[in-house]
Amino acid sequence: MKSKTYSYGKQNIDHDDIEMVVEVLKSDWLTQGPKVSEFEKALSEKFGAQYAAACSNGTAGLHLIALGLGWSKGDVIITTPITFLASANCAIYVGANVDFADIDERYYTIDPEKLEEKIKYYRAKNINVKAVVAVDYAGHPCDWEALKSLKKKYGFQLVNDFCHAPGAEYKNDYHYAVNYADAVNMSFHPVKHFTTGEGGAVLSNDREFIDRVKTFRTHGATKDPRILEKIDGPWYYEMHDVGFNYRITDFQCALGISQLKKLDSFITERRKIAGYYDKFFENDDRFIIPKVNENSKHAYHLYSLQIKFDELGISKKEFFDKMKEKNIFLQVHYIPVHLQPFYRKKFGFKEGDFPIAEIFYKREVSIPIYPGLNEEDLEYITESIVGALDSMK
């Protein structure tokens, strides 16, 4: 057995990253210091946003977006069923209702036609959809032109859950995320393209929105003289709304600053690995490789390989077990959110509601893709996948 182990994703930390963190650990500021605003400025410049608010994690970012956009009890928020729980849970946090629109079977992102059908369903009941949370799944941009057209037509707020897609391009636009959405959410978990350990950020071109996000990020407390009812002194602050402690530390931001500088090289490596997988699997009809729209450049947070377990009569669980024996630890992204017990019980969702997402879930396997994998690693991974399937005939 090969002694090296592989997961679907992992961080890539080097000496420069460590030195940046150590420098902050030796400084006077561990949190609420200058590295936070420095990181926010770097994010703004890299992704073309006028404003950024760094926070404790991507889930916190989505909650802050919900608060900043004013979602509340009774509002309807639509997202994709193929996403992590947080893309839907952020609406639950503020008392809103959640619904879904099925995915495009080619690119695995929310299907604009299915979304419009769902919006019309609510319109027929005299209900306006408050917001749509679209996810650039695996690193492939959504059909943002279509989504923005629907936003203009129906008047909803548009959020880009951009956690998978830093480094992607849409219509030759590296900065597309903030150019199409009202708010953009990011995550810097270790399996993402670059990391702060745990961490996240909200990007926007709307200053008032970001000001609200930053206030909610820090307990709802503010020292902004434009808002204060009085000023007792330089220590004075007021709380006008209940907020949270969703702050990020300076040493996390130092790591983020260092990592962000390497994003382009990380993306280049991920695309090279994806190209190897594409070539290996594309002519084997047991597999469906992820397609890339001609107007997009994929960022490959995930390499979502579909294996036709249903047609092959093979157990996905048994396949995972065989891969584990080879020290290859795969993952599935994602269990459709509408099939989670909470969502079934609260909203009445059931199997069959979003068939494309459900078929995708049954077939999808996230295989290793991260900087540092060499050709020998990729040969081992791909041959192990084929070998496992062959042994299960």
Side-chain angles (χ1 to χ4, degrees):
M1 178 187 291
K2 195 177 178 75
S3 60
K4 189 173 182 180
T5 61
Y6 303 91
S7 60
Y8 78 92
K10 63 181 290 188
Q11 70 274 13
N12 188 298
I13 303 294
D14 64 16
H15 180 74
D16 292 340
D17 299 322
I18 295 168
E19 285 297 307
M20 284 279 283
V21 173
V22 170
E23 182 181 331
V24 171
L25 292 175
K26 291 179 177 179
S27 75
D28 292 333
W29 293 94
L30 295 186
T31 191
Q32 295 179 264
K35 286 297 178 186
V36 178
S37 57
E38 186 180 334
F39 183 44
E40 290 172 341
K41 182 179 179 183
L43 290 171
S44 294
E45 291 175 351
K46 185 67 174 176
F47 300 108
Q50 292 184 40
Y51 310 103
C55 57
S56 54
N57 53 67
T59 301
L62 284 168
H63 190 189
L64 291 167
I65 286 171
L67 294 166
L69 291 177
W71 303 354
S72 61
K73 186 175 181 179
D75 286 339
V76 174
I77 313 300
I78 298 178
T79 189
T80 166
I82 297 296
T83 186
F84 187 57
L85 302 168
S87 304
N89 287 352
C90 60
I92 303 297
Y93 298 157
V94 294
N97 295 321
V98 177
D99 205 341
F100 304 93
D102 212 343
I103 62 170
D104 182 307
E105 63 183 349
R106 298 163 299 174
Y107 311 118
Y108 320 144
T109 53
I110 195 167
D111 186 328
E113 292 184 7
K114 298 281 180 29
L115 174 61
E116 185 166 25
E117 289 174 10
K118 189 58 65 87
I119 292 169
K120 288 179 177 178
Y121 164 82
Y122 281 103
R123 280 288 180 99
K125 301 171 77 170
N126 293 316
I127 298 171
N128 290 324
V129 170
K130 178 74 171 182
V132 171
V133 179
V135 178
D136 285 340
Y137 175 80
H140 191 291
C142 296
D143 185 346
W144 287 103
E145 285 284 359
L147 293 176
K148 192 165 185 178
S149 177
L150 291 176
K151 166 187 162 65
K152 184 176 180 180
K153 184 175 181 179
Y154 295 106
F156 56 78
Q157 298 164 336
L158 186 54
V159 175
N160 184 343
D161 194 344
F162 186 59
C163 297
H164 290 190
E169 293 181 33
Y170 177 71
K171 297 196 171 182
N172 297 314
D173 183 4
Y174 193 92
H175 300 154
Y176 74 91
V178 291
N179 291 336
Y180 285 90
D182 299 303
V184 175
N185 186 56
M186 301 188 72
S187 168
F188 312 126
H189 184 277
V191 297
K192 298 301 194 296
H193 297 81
F194 64 100
T195 188
T196 58
E198 283 280 7
V202 177
L203 310 180
S204 179
N205 291 331
D206 184 334
R207 179 179 176 179
E208 289 185 5
F209 164 73
I210 287 292
D211 286 346
R212 291 194 296 274
V213 164
K214 288 185 175 182
T215 300
F216 283 120
R217 176 184 67 180
T218 312
H219 305 282
T222 182
K223 290 187 174 183
D224 189 337
R226 298 172 300 171
I227 298 172
L228 297 178
E229 294 181 358
K230 61 177 182 176
I231 302 178
D232 284 350
W235 66 87
Y236 186 74
Y237 59 85
E238 291 176 352
M239 188 188 90
H240 293 260
D241 293 290
V242 174
F244 301 83
N245 183 357
Y246 282 162
R247 294 184 298 239
I248 190 171
T249 66
D250 278 58
F251 52 89
Q252 287 175 297
C253 288
L255 178 57
I257 293 165
S258 181
Q259 286 265 295
L260 182 58
K261 294 174 184 177
K262 306 177 183 104
L263 175 60
D264 292 345
S265 64
F266 289 164
I267 293 293
T268 297
E269 283 199 59
R270 287 174 178 272
R271 287 176 176 154
K272 184 177 179 180
I273 294 166
Y276 183 98
Y277 286 150
D278 285 348
K279 187 174 181 180
F280 185 90
F281 293 115
E282 64 184 348
N283 294 319
D284 188 329
D285 62 10
R286 293 175 294 181
F287 304 101
I288 301 173
I289 63 172
K291 296 180 178 64
V292 182
N293 193 308
E294 62 182 6
N295 66 16
S296 297
K297 291 185 180 179
H298 206 302
Y300 291 106
H301 162 53
L302 305 172
Y303 190 90
S304 292
L305 181 67
Q306 289 188 71
I307 303 175
K308 299 175 184 177
F309 297 106
D310 49 344
E311 295 181 10
L312 297 170
I314 287 175
S315 163
K316 188 172 182 177
K317 181 181 182 301
E318 185 181 346
F319 172 75
F320 263 62
D321 291 340
K322 285 188 174 292
M323 295 302 291
K324 186 176 179 181
E325 291 172 4
K326 296 287 187 178
N327 285 342
I328 300 171
F329 296 88
L330 306 175
Q331 188 52 276
V332 174
H333 295 90
Y334 294 93
I335 303 167
V337 181
H338 69 284
L339 296 181
Q340 292 294 341
F342 173 86
Y343 284 93
R344 287 192 282 106
K345 292 172 185 176
K346 184 172 180 65
F347 298 107
F349 294 117
K350 61 187 183 302
E351 195 166 338
D353 283 345
F354 304 100
I356 298 174
E358 292 168 26
I359 292 170
F360 179 75
Y361 162 63
K362 291 174 182 177
R363 293 177 168 182
E364 196 273 343
V365 173
S366 298
I367 67 176
I369 185 165
Y370 48 86
L373 291 173
N374 59 37
E375 189 161 333
E376 181 183 355
D377 296 323
L378 299 179
E379 287 177 2
Y380 178 75
I381 292 164
T382 51
E383 294 296 342
S384 295
I385 290 170
V386 170
L389 292 178
D390 288 343
S391 71
M392 296 169 68
K393 287 180 179 177

